[in-house]
Structure formats: structure tokens, C-alpha cells
Amino acid sequence: MAAKDQMKKGIFAKKDHLLSDVSKVYREGLYSDITFIMADDVSVSTNRFMLACRVPYFATLLFGELSVNQPDNSVTLNCCNSETFQQIMNYVWEGEISFSELNLQSLLDLLETSRFFCLEPLVEGVLEYLEYLLDSQKVESTDCLAALDFLILHNFARASDLFLAFIDQNLSSISLLPEFGKYFYPTSDIFDGLEKHLEKLEEDVDSNECELAVQNKQIEAMPGQIEAQRKQVNESEAFNFSLDPILDSPCISGSGFEYKFMLPRVHFINNAEFKFDNSNFRYSYTLKSSLDGVTWTDLLDCNLVEHTGQQKVHFMRREMKTLAIKVTGSKNIDGYGDADPKPTISGAFASMI
């Protein structure tokens, strides 16, 4: 009936055939023109056009500013193993991943890789599924502790809050696990003593009421420690900063002009946007970051390609307080005349995606 209604409007649509044809190309491995060598040394071949259409990271890597630095048909990707990358391919080509077939660690690896590739819908999907597993009590307590350790290490604020809340709600049972001390009391002497007391309690609980009192006292103190860890991971939550140049920007640095931007606070950043104001020139530039304004870390080198207008770049996430953009060269867009004597930049943003 819907097809007839569309035909009456002069519209012919067979979207299901499109999805079927694309899926067939994927499943049969047709038209592959690029091969990725993954972290586990397994090679995965696919189509670069499809990757660029679906994944922002590959749009930049294969057709954007970084494309000139890549070999024609072989690229090394150390961000994940072949199993995780295959799940990414399922999403790219078929728009579907079966989360229920993945164990918890595989889900966490998929979450980290999806964020690296700037696949926000997939990041959100994994987070929603993790929340479902916790709400349904489908996560083993030992796996929960290991997952929390992974999420804090990789700066996933929202997911860390979910697992911290779960541990908080089930603290009386989780605190009895042998693994509990590994994740929450790694160095303290008093916590080492507590672990020995807990071992004695397993042998003879009735004769060790003193050890039970110590255990209960430490359990009562845990909500404060959990809150402290929650505050720590919040420093790396997704955020977007509008940046203003600091007072001495731009300054002449070596062979170029350098703009420095101060973030409102120390934060992890993996994306930057800005605009070259003069459309009559093409520019080359580099990006670097610093925590103290003295020691700098290189983020991105865009010297091999000339750029103009709006710039949007992705890089490996980095904790920073200051972001610097150095204009290393300029050329008149017509190929004649002198370089831009004083390049100007506006509309700068830095974000954590």
C-alpha cells in the first residue's frame, strides 16, 4: 500500500534493495581497494569509499589532510585488533552489531575504538547496552571491577559513573571478593592488613568479630572513595570549548606565526576547529599542546598539504591546558605574489568527542 501511495506521488523507492546490495558486497568481499593491518597482525580488506562515507576518522585519513601520508593500499592500524575492527565493519556496511554475542571486555574494546573513530552513534549504543546489562544484573561482580578499572584508565566518565553506581549498590557483596583489594587498595599498608583479616574471616568468621568490625568500617568509608573517583573521571567527559587567543598571540616562532589558546581548565581533547580568515591564501600548519606552557607535545603535522578556510581536525586524545596552532607557510591562491605577511585565525574550538 505504501509503495502504491509513493507511486501516485511519482516516487519510485526500493531502499531495501540498496541495503541488500551493499550487504552482499560486504559479505562477499567485493571491490576491496585497501587493506588494514591490525594490532594483532591480521589483515582486513575493505572499500575506502564506504569507510570514508560512514566513519569521520577515515574520511580524514583517506581523503583529507592526512591522505598524502598514507600508502596506496596498505595501512597499519594499531588502535584495535581484527575482532573489534570486524564489528566496526559490521556497523559501517550493515548498520548493525549484535552486542549480545560480545563479552564485556569486547564491548569495552568496541567502545574505545568507536570513540577513536569518532563514531558517536556507536559510542552511545554501547553505553546504552552497558547500562542495560547493569540494570538487569547481567554483569559478574569480578568483571564489573575490571571494567571500572578499564573505563577510568581510558577516561569514560559516563560509563565509569554507571559502574561506580553499580558497585556502590552492591558494595556489601563485592567488597568480599578477592579482586576487590586489587582495584581499590593497591598500595596502602592498612588495606594490605585488611586483606589478611578477610582471609582469616573466611576460615573462622565466628571467632573474628574484631576483623568484621574493621571490614565494616572500611566499607562505610567506600562511598567517599567512590565519589572521589567519580570526580576524577568527570575531568575527561565529552566537552566543547570556545577558545580565545592568549595575550601574546600571535607571535613569531621560528619560521612561522604561532597562536596559543588557553583552555578554561585541564581537559582531554581530541578535536579542534578554526578558520583561516584570508581566503586569498593557502596555509600549512602544525598543532601542539602543553599542560604547563613550557613542555609541548606535537599533535598534528599539516605541512605537506595547503589549506584554506574552515579547518576541522582529529587527533589522538591528549590532556592539555594550552593548544598552539603554528602557521608554517602560506601561498597566494593564484600562485603569484608574496606570502601572507600576518596570517589570522578565528572561530577556534577544542572538544573531546
Side-chain angles (χ1 to χ4, degrees):
M1 181 63 69
K4 290 182 178 180
D5 291 340
Q6 285 187 319
M7 190 60 69
K8 290 178 181 179
K9 298 177 182 178
I11 299 174
F12 177 76
K14 289 291 183 181
K15 297 180 180 179
D16 53 336
H17 286 196
L18 171 62
L19 294 175
S20 176
D21 290 342
V22 171
S23 180
K24 178 182 178 181
V25 170
Y26 173 50
R27 292 301 172 183
E28 297 183 8
L30 304 177
Y31 315 124
S32 297
D33 59 2
I34 190 166
T35 299
F36 294 98
I37 304 171
M38 310 311 300
D40 53 0
D41 291 326
V42 175
S43 297
V44 179
S45 297
T46 188
N47 180 271
R48 66 177 66 212
F49 174 76
M50 193 68 179
L51 280 179
C53 288
R54 297 275 287 150
V55 184
Y57 174 85
F58 288 115
T60 300
L61 180 72
L62 302 177
F63 295 98
E65 295 89 345
L66 303 180
S67 60
V68 295
N69 295 326
Q70 304 303 325
D72 289 339
N73 57 6
S74 180
V75 178
T76 299
L77 274 183
N78 293 319
C79 60
C80 66
N81 59 27
S82 57
E83 178 183 347
T84 301
F85 192 67
Q86 198 63 59
Q87 298 300 327
I88 297 291
M89 291 299 94
N90 292 343
Y91 171 77
V92 166
W93 286 89
E94 298 184 320
E96 182 176 313
I97 297 178
S98 180
F99 290 153
S100 61
E101 297 178 0
L102 304 178
N103 60 33
L104 184 56
Q105 185 57 55
S106 295
L107 285 169
L108 296 175
D109 292 338
L110 180 59
L111 178 65
E112 169 68 3
T113 304
S114 300
R115 184 175 66 176
F116 178 79
F117 288 151
C118 304
L119 289 172
E120 296 181 50
L122 187 51
V123 170
E124 186 65 26
V126 176
L127 289 174
E128 289 181 1
Y129 187 68
L130 290 175
E131 186 172 10
Y132 159 74
L133 291 179
L134 293 171
D135 290 343
S136 305
Q137 299 288 318
K138 293 184 178 181
V139 179
E140 296 292 335
S141 297
T142 52
D143 292 340
C144 183
L145 291 170
L148 177 60
D149 186 57
F150 177 95
L151 293 167
I152 291 177
L153 178 63
H154 291 82
N155 305 297
F156 282 101
R158 175 182 164 190
S160 297
D161 278 342
L162 292 174
F163 279 83
L164 283 168
F166 180 85
I167 293 174
D168 197 9
Q169 294 168 5
N170 300 274
L171 193 56
S172 59
S173 59
I174 292 179
S175 64
L176 299 177
L177 295 172
E179 296 85 358
F180 184 75
K182 171 185 175 182
Y183 293 105
F184 282 89
Y185 314 127
T187 57
S188 172
D189 291 337
I190 189 171
F191 292 147
D192 288 341
L194 175 60
E195 287 184 340
K196 295 177 182 179
H197 289 321
L198 293 177
E199 291 174 0
K200 291 182 180 180
L201 288 175
E202 292 177 358
E203 298 174 358
D204 189 1
V205 174
D206 292 337
S207 64
N208 289 281
E209 295 182 357
C210 180
E211 286 85 346
L212 274 173
V214 173
Q215 175 200 5
N216 289 334
K217 183 177 180 180
Q218 298 301 330
I219 290 176
E220 290 173 359
M222 278 305 301
Q225 297 183 30
I226 290 176
E227 182 61 30
Q229 293 191 36
R230 180 179 287 116
K231 181 178 180 182
Q232 172 189 346
V233 300
N234 281 343
E235 294 180 356
S236 60
E237 63 187 348
F239 211 88
N240 186 58
F241 295 112
S242 176
L243 304 178
D244 294 319
I246 60 179
L247 294 178
D248 63 346
S249 289
C251 64
I252 298 177
S253 175
S255 59
F257 285 86
E258 188 169 69
Y259 284 81
K260 294 180 181 178
F261 302 90
M262 187 79 73
L263 277 65
R265 57 187 172 87
V266 173
H267 207 282
F268 281 89
I269 298 295
N270 67 354
N271 184 77
E273 297 181 46
F274 60 92
K275 179 183 179 182
F276 288 114
D277 294 328
N278 195 331
S279 60
N280 294 320
F281 294 88
R282 295 184 183 276
Y283 302 91
S284 57
Y285 61 90
T286 61
L287 269 68
K288 59 184 180 179
S289 67
S290 175
L291 283 169
D292 56 11
V294 177
T295 303
W296 294 88
T297 301
D298 293 331
L299 299 176
L300 196 63
D301 187 333
C302 294
N303 278 317
L304 298 181
V305 180
E306 296 171 343
H307 313 265
T308 188
Q310 188 70 29
Q311 305 295 303
K312 183 175 182 179
V313 293
H314 304 281
F315 42 83
M316 289 290 289
R317 69 182 184 278
R318 179 76 62 178
E319 190 177 22
M320 66 181 72
K321 176 64 175 176
T322 306
L323 174 68
I325 303 171
K326 182 178 180 180
V327 183
T328 55
S330 62
K331 183 185 298 183
N332 193 289
I333 199 168
D334 295 326
Y336 303 100
D338 297 330
D340 189 351
K342 188 175 181 180
T344 59
I345 290 174
S346 63
F349 286 87
S351 58
M352 176 69 189
I353 301 177

